[in-house]
Amino acid sequence: MALVTTTKMFEKAFAGGYAIGAFNINNMEIIQAVVEAAQKQNSAVILQVSKSALTYAHPKYLRAMVEAAVAETGLDIALHLDHGPDLETCKLCIENGFTSVMFDGSHYDYEENIVKTKEVVDYAHAHGVVVEAELGKLAGIEDDVQVDAANATFTDPDQALDFVQRTGVDSLAIAIGTSHGAYKFKGEAKLDFDRLESITSKLEAAGIHNYPIVLHGASAVDQNCVAMCNEFGGEIAGAKGIPTEMLRKASSMAVCKINMDTDIRLAMTAAIRKSFAEKPAAFDPRGYLGDARKMIADMIESKITDVIGSTDSMK
Ligand code: G3H
Ligand code: 13P
Ligand code: ZN
């Protein structure tokens, strides 16, 4: 039993009209919650680590915990670098057993993004690791890179085809209206599904079939969870995510990987706030962290069954 790349997962997801959940991990409780939910639903899963998570938890600790999860569950699990800023960070992750890396060159100009992405692709492929890249700019915060709504640019379908052909990248993150964090829309939620369709059509017409597209910034920001945070002392106002029917639609199209981090943060915070408020005399971290783990696991299980549809993807 070993970590796997995303290649087979995406082939199956594309053919089956569902997506694989990519969940950001920062500690043991989050890892256990994600794999417990995935195991209950017999689902493959991607555990992803940002640069700041690498700094917080250390690649060796994260890898050891993820390998324990593979040994314990027997699930297909990919360990992925989220928003890798440079070749050096991608190399560090590859040396530490990651099976997939993202190089995020979306803030560079187009030609520079191609050159830098190709460099990562060549290195990663020589080491049996797959690569995700990003084209177009999402509004919000990606690690240290902040993009405001005015500077967000949706992915151009012709460029997407050219980018995939020239870099040989294995999957592509696109900008169609999602953004990172808990404040995604001021007004009504809207995603540019025509653009997604057009990207896939261009790739298909060029002979690139069933190409996996990645959706970042795809947390739903469940309003019950926000309300629970606020009921127990939180001050989260105006948070809004991607409606679940839009995530379902994206999963049924070419989107094979759906990224979620904010929903985990909110679930964890809500559970811990509630636990602190209801049991003020308790101070065993296993109590409130256990509550948080349960809340995250339940949330992720419902994503798998009701939103992305990856139940039984291990079959
Ligand atoms: O896309 C960003 C992810 O939510 C990771 O955030 O850099 O704070 O770990 P982070
Ligand atoms: P959310 O902030 O919507 O959870 O997006 C996370 C993400 O895209 C990580 O790369
Ligand atoms: Zn992201």
Side-chain angles (χ1 to χ4, degrees):
M1 220 40 88
L3 288 165
V4 296
T5 71
T6 52
T7 309
K8 286 249 152 48
M9 286 182 195
F10 289 167
E11 276 169 22
K12 285 163 80 178
F14 199 106
Y18 61 86
I20 300 291
F23 302 100
N24 286 72
I25 56 167
N26 295 283
N27 62 21
M28 183 190 76
E29 284 76 12
I30 297 174
I31 294 169
Q32 289 178 335
V34 176
V35 297
E36 184 193 313
Q39 191 171 27
K40 277 193 186 159
Q41 291 304 321
N42 200 26
S43 172
V45 75
I46 298 166
L47 300 178
Q48 59 184 14
V49 179
S50 69
K51 175 110 195 265
S52 29
L54 285 175
T55 308
Y56 176 75
H58 199 285
K60 285 197 168 47
Y61 282 79
L62 291 165
R63 177 198 185 167
M65 287 191 287
V66 170
E67 281 183 341
V70 174
E72 196 58 25
T73 62
L75 291 175
D76 286 344
I77 298 178
L79 179 56
H80 172 78
L81 167 65
D82 188 30
H83 295 287
D86 47 37
L87 178 61
E88 194 195 351
T89 311
C90 294
K91 279 184 175 171
L92 172 75
C93 288
I94 291 168
E95 277 160 20
N96 278 284
F98 283 48
T99 52
S100 173
V101 292
M102 175 190 192
F103 170 69
D104 180 0
S106 59
H107 50 288
Y108 291 113
D109 76 36
Y110 181 63
E111 289 298 330
E112 210 173 346
N113 190 2
I114 288 186
V115 171
K116 288 183 187 295
T117 300
K118 176 93 177 60
E119 220 180 0
V120 172
V121 168
D122 290 345
Y123 182 87
H125 284 182
H127 292 78
V129 168
V130 290
V131 181
E132 173 188 328
E134 182 168 324
L135 190 62
K137 289 192 184 77
L138 275 69
I141 299 165
E142 292 181 355
D143 231 328
D144 296 335
V145 183
Q146 190 162 352
V147 182
D148 62 32
N151 285 320
T153 327
F154 286 2
T155 308
D156 176 78
D158 289 310
Q159 275 195 346
L161 170 61
D162 183 59
F163 189 90
V164 169
Q165 285 175 323
R166 287 170 63 193
T167 59
V169 75
D170 302 282
S171 61
L172 186 68
I174 58 164
I176 56 165
T178 61
S179 64
H180 292 99
Y183 304 94
K184 299 191 192 295
F185 300 101
K186 286 215 173 70
E188 210 176 306
K190 196 172 174 335
L191 296 188
D192 191 346
F193 286 109
D194 291 344
R195 188 173 293 268
L196 171 59
E197 190 58 57
S198 165
I199 290 167
T200 300
S201 305
K202 300 251 178 212
L203 289 161
E204 288 287 336
I208 302 171
H209 301 299
N210 296 4
Y211 190 82
I213 298 296
V214 179
L215 205 59
H216 282 246
S219 278
V221 186
D222 177 52
Q223 293 303 307
N224 292 326
C225 189
V226 173
M228 187 168 151
C229 285
N230 289 339
E231 183 186 345
F232 296 105
E235 289 180 11
I236 302 170
K240 207 185 223 181
I242 313 292
T244 48
E245 61 275 14
M246 290 189 186
L247 295 169
R248 272 188 217 116
K249 183 169 174 179
S251 305
S252 75
M253 298 170 72
V255 171
C256 294
K257 174 173 180 270
I258 295 227
N259 282 17
M260 288 164 270
D261 185 10
T262 297
D263 283 341
I264 296 174
R265 295 177 184 204
L266 286 169
M268 185 156 207
T269 304
I272 291 174
R273 281 196 176 282
K274 183 168 188 284
S275 188
F276 281 171
E278 289 179 348
K279 292 170 256 180
F283 53 86
D284 183 342
R286 292 168 297 188
Y288 53 84
L289 292 177
D291 289 350
R293 183 171 57 188
K294 168 88 175 67
M295 179 124 171
I296 297 168
D298 290 347
M299 181 272 291
I300 288 179
E301 195 177 350
S302 74
K303 296 269 185 203
I304 292 172
T305 54
D306 303 345
V307 184
I308 59 175
S310 64
T311 297
D312 281 336
S313 52
M314 283 298 297
K315 272 189 187 155

